[in-house]
């Protein structure tokens, strides 16, 4: 410990080092349940690339593990500390270095908050689409680490599709540049895409070149109530099959609707089994909204309510935004899954999750980015009850197994971290796992970068 601190202090200012155990403990974990976390030896908050390089050179020299962190809003334990590690918190590297309306790019440091970037580029008539639900607090570096998504993915895609280039400090302190600033580029292996979603296990992102789009018009929203989740999913399939491009397509199941009603008195009928929200941000969204409403009615919607303006649209979206908060109020703790399945299997996923909830005598609500098949089953349980906690963990695993059976993936946007690493091996298969471990070895031969995550 003394040797580590002495070495770190050689090129770091005093304010960049935190050693008080009461404070370092607050950096031990992200927001995931059932994920072990260790005790860090020190927390480092660098402000420059050279400071990050010094940390990694020191870590390599002394064989000390390093756990990179952003805002710790993750839900898989990917930012959890290991015993004796250096926690490398990048939140102080928070500068927007460049916004180019001509090239339609932004160059940012990893600690820039998603919402701050979104507002900054909006002043130039531009748009950074990835919008995780924690966008007001989560950082771009964290978004890159987990390849996060959000409500708009059905039309605009996920973080990986907007990362053009990176600067990455490797485990031994060398600085790697990947990708490009140009609209096109296919030189060599795509190391940029490899690092996106790697959860800090291959290197420390210290700069990102991000693609931007022209700022779209304000979206209009439609809400449709259905007598079953299957009927709502039929409407989703019909909307996509007919070639519509909604900017948002979200489903809330019966459990989620009732939780939101209990919290906010939204006035949704108790007979509603599923609520579908569809939005369009075209220059004239009216015709698209009307067409989607007709498809919802044909699929069995009991009520279809299109918004007439932006204010009404925001009111309709309020229920979806309250979903997680409302489910968190049901019991003392939650586990949030993010199993993604083909759209055509979405109804089976939602109904299957309801059956799992009944089997384990638990409350499990599902809200889903229906347009891309990404479901978020939220297991509600009393963490003070060992039996209920055990059932919660078993149900969580069974939900992931169901997703794989339906041709899906164990994580669409939250990452693997600690929580799902056993399931990653099942999804990849022996050869896929072997090759990914070989990539990890090539980047991090000493195994000091975010150890215990992914594999």
């Amino acid at each position: 410990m003394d040797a580590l601190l002495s070495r770190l202090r050689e090129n770091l200012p005093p304010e960049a080092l935190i050693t008080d155990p009461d404070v370092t403990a607050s950096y031990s974990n992200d927001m995931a349940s059932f994920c072990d976390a260790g005790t860090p030896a020190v927390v480092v908050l660098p402000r420059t690339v050279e400071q990050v390089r010094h940390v990694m050179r020191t870590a390599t020299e002394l064989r000390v593990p390093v756990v990179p962190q952003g805002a710790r809003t993750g839900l898989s334990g990917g930012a959890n500390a290991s015993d004796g590690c250096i926690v490398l918190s990048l939140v102080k590297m928070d500068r927007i270095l460049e916004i180019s309306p001509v090239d339609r790019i932004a160059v940012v440091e990893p600690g820039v908050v998603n919402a701050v970037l979104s507002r900054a580029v909006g002043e130039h008539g531009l748009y950074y689409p990835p919008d995780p639900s924690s966008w007001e607090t989560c950082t771009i570096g964290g978004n890159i680490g987990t390849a996060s998504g959000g409500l708009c993915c059905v039309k605009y895609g996920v973080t990986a599709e907007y990362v053009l280039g990176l600067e990455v400090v490797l485990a031994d302190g060398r600085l790697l540049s990947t990708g490009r600033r140009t609209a096109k580029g296919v030189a060599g292996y795509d190391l940029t895409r490899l690092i996106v979603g790697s959860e800090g296990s291959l290197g420390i992102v210290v700069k990102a070149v991000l693609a931007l789009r022209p700022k779209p018009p304000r979206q209009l929203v439609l809400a449709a109530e259905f007598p079953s989740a299957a009927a709502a999913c039929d409407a989703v399939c019909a909307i996509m099959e007919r070639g519509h491009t909604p900017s948002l397509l979200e489903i809330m199941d019966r459990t989620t609707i009732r939780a939101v009603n209990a919290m906010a008195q939204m006035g949704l009928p108790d007979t509603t089994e599923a609520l579908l929200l569809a939005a369009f941000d075209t220059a004239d969204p009216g015709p698209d909204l009307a067409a989607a409403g007709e498809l919802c009615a044909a699929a069995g919607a009991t009520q279809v309510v299109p918004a007439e303006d932006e204010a009404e649209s925001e009111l309709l979206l309020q229920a979806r935004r309250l979903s997680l908060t409302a489910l968190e109020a049901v019991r003392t703790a939650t586990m949030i899954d993010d199993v993604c399945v083909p759209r055509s299997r979405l109804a089976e996923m939602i109904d299957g999750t309801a059956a799992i909830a009944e089997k384990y005598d638990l409350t499990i609500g599902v809200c889903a980015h229906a347009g891309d098949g990404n479901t978020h089953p939220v297991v509600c349980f009393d963490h003070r009850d060992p039996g209920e906690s055990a059932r919660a963990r078993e149900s969580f695993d069974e939900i992931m197994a169901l997703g794989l059976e339906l041709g899906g993936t164990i994580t669409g946007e939250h990452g693997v971290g600690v929580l799902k690493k056993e399931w990653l091996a099942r999804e990849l298969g022996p050869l896929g796992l072997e090759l990914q471990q070989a990539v990890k070895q090539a980047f991090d031969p000493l195994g000091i970068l975010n150890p215990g995550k992914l594999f």
Side-chain angles (χ1 to χ4, degrees):
M1 177 67 168
D2 289 342
L4 173 62
L5 292 178
S6 176
R7 186 77 174 83
L8 289 172
R9 287 185 179 120
E10 290 178 8
N11 287 295
L12 291 173
E15 64 272 15
L17 293 170
I18 300 175
T19 57
D20 183 336
D22 291 335
V23 180
T24 59
S26 67
Y27 287 83
S28 291
N29 56 276
D30 61 19
M31 297 178 68
S33 301
F34 293 109
C35 292
D36 293 335
T39 302
V42 59
V43 175
V44 181
L45 294 100
R47 290 184 179 272
T48 69
V49 173
E50 188 52 44
Q51 288 174 2
V52 175
R53 297 184 70 185
H54 173 65
V55 170
M56 295 314 306
R57 286 191 290 259
T58 300
T60 292
E61 177 186 333
L62 300 178
R63 305 298 196 263
V64 179
V66 176
V67 176
Q69 290 183 351
R72 291 180 289 113
T73 57
L75 294 164
S76 66
N80 283 12
S82 54
D83 285 332
C85 76
I86 299 169
V87 163
L88 187 59
S89 174
L90 299 158
V91 295
K92 299 294 186 181
M93 296 180 68
D94 60 356
R95 294 179 300 161
I96 298 174
L97 301 172
E98 179 185 351
I99 297 172
S100 172
V102 173
D103 293 327
R104 292 183 182 172
I105 62 169
V107 182
V108 305
E109 291 183 327
V112 172
V113 171
N114 186 295
V116 171
L117 175 63
S118 296
R119 294 183 184 114
V121 301
E123 293 176 4
H124 297 266
L126 297 169
Y127 177 44
Y128 180 67
D131 62 342
S133 59
S134 57
W135 78 303
E136 290 283 3
T137 53
C138 66
T139 63
I140 295 299
N143 295 168
I144 290 170
T146 58
S148 58
L151 299 183
C152 70
C153 295
V154 60
K155 181 173 182 178
Y156 294 105
V158 295
T159 296
E161 294 167 64
Y162 293 88
V163 182
L164 297 177
L166 295 169
E167 286 192 5
V168 183
V169 176
L170 300 180
D172 59 7
R174 289 179 294 169
L175 184 63
L176 170 70
S177 293
T178 76
R180 62 195 195 278
R181 291 172 56 99
T182 54
K184 296 178 180 178
V186 293
Y189 295 130
D190 192 345
L191 296 182
T192 304
R193 277 292 187 107
L194 180 63
I195 291 165
V196 174
S198 64
E199 302 184 34
S201 65
L202 301 181
I204 311 297
V205 172
V206 290
K207 186 187 294 184
V209 180
L210 306 174
L212 304 175
R213 288 179 174 241
K215 191 174 183 179
R218 292 290 186 178
Q219 63 185 3
L220 285 183
V221 179
L222 170 148
E225 298 172 15
F226 289 88
S228 69
C233 292
D234 285 345
V236 170
C237 291
I239 290 169
M240 301 306 292
E241 185 179 16
R242 297 293 179 87
H244 296 289
T245 53
S247 55
L248 174 148
L249 199 55
E250 299 284 310
I251 279 181
M252 297 163 55
D253 75 344
R254 169 186 60 200
T255 301
T256 306
I257 292 167
R258 291 178 181 174
V260 170
N261 265 342
M263 168 172 279
Q265 291 77 49
M266 296 291 290
L268 299 170
D270 289 338
T271 54
T272 299
E273 293 291 309
L275 180 70
L276 178 65
L277 298 169
F280 294 88
D281 61 1
T282 53
D284 181 14
D288 283 312
L289 219 60
E294 290 174 5
L295 292 172
C296 288
T302 55
Q303 186 172 3
V304 178
V305 180
E308 293 186 1
D309 54 33
E310 184 182 339
E312 284 191 21
S313 293
E314 285 302 310
L315 285 173
L316 292 175
L317 288 175
Q318 186 180 4
R320 174 63 181 89
R321 292 193 176 119
L322 287 174
S323 294
L324 178 56
T325 303
L327 287 166
E328 286 175 339
V330 172
R331 304 293 280 169
T332 65
T334 57
M335 291 184 73
I336 306 171
D337 216 327
D338 74 314
V339 174
C340 191
V341 298
R343 294 186 198 101
S344 57
R345 311 299 295 274
L346 185 58
E348 294 170 80
M349 186 69 206
I350 295 175
D351 288 341
T353 300
I356 291 169
E358 184 174 355
K359 173 182 176 180
Y360 287 97
D361 190 24
L362 291 167
T363 298
I364 304 178
V366 179
C367 47
H369 307 314
D372 52 28
N374 197 170
T375 67
H376 292 303
V378 181
V379 182
C380 307
F381 64 100
D382 187 344
H383 73 282
R384 300 165 298 189
D385 183 332
E388 191 165 314
S389 296
R391 297 200 312 276
R393 180 68 218 220
E394 290 174 19
S395 71
F396 186 88
D397 286 342
E398 197 158 322
I399 290 167
M400 285 192 286
L402 173 63
L404 291 181
E405 289 170 13
L406 295 174
T409 176
I410 58 169
T411 176
E413 57 189 11
H414 291 173
V416 175
V418 176
L419 190 62
K420 297 185 175 185
K421 63 181 186 177
E422 173 193 346
W423 285 92
L424 177 64
R426 298 192 198 187
E427 179 171 333
L428 294 178
L431 180 56
L433 184 63
E434 178 186 333
L435 291 173
Q436 295 214 13
Q437 288 172 330
V439 171
K440 167 69 170 172
Q441 175 69 18
F443 275 80
D444 180 22
L446 298 178
I448 64 173
L449 278 170
N450 216 7
K453 315 297 165 47
L454 290 170
F455 311 118

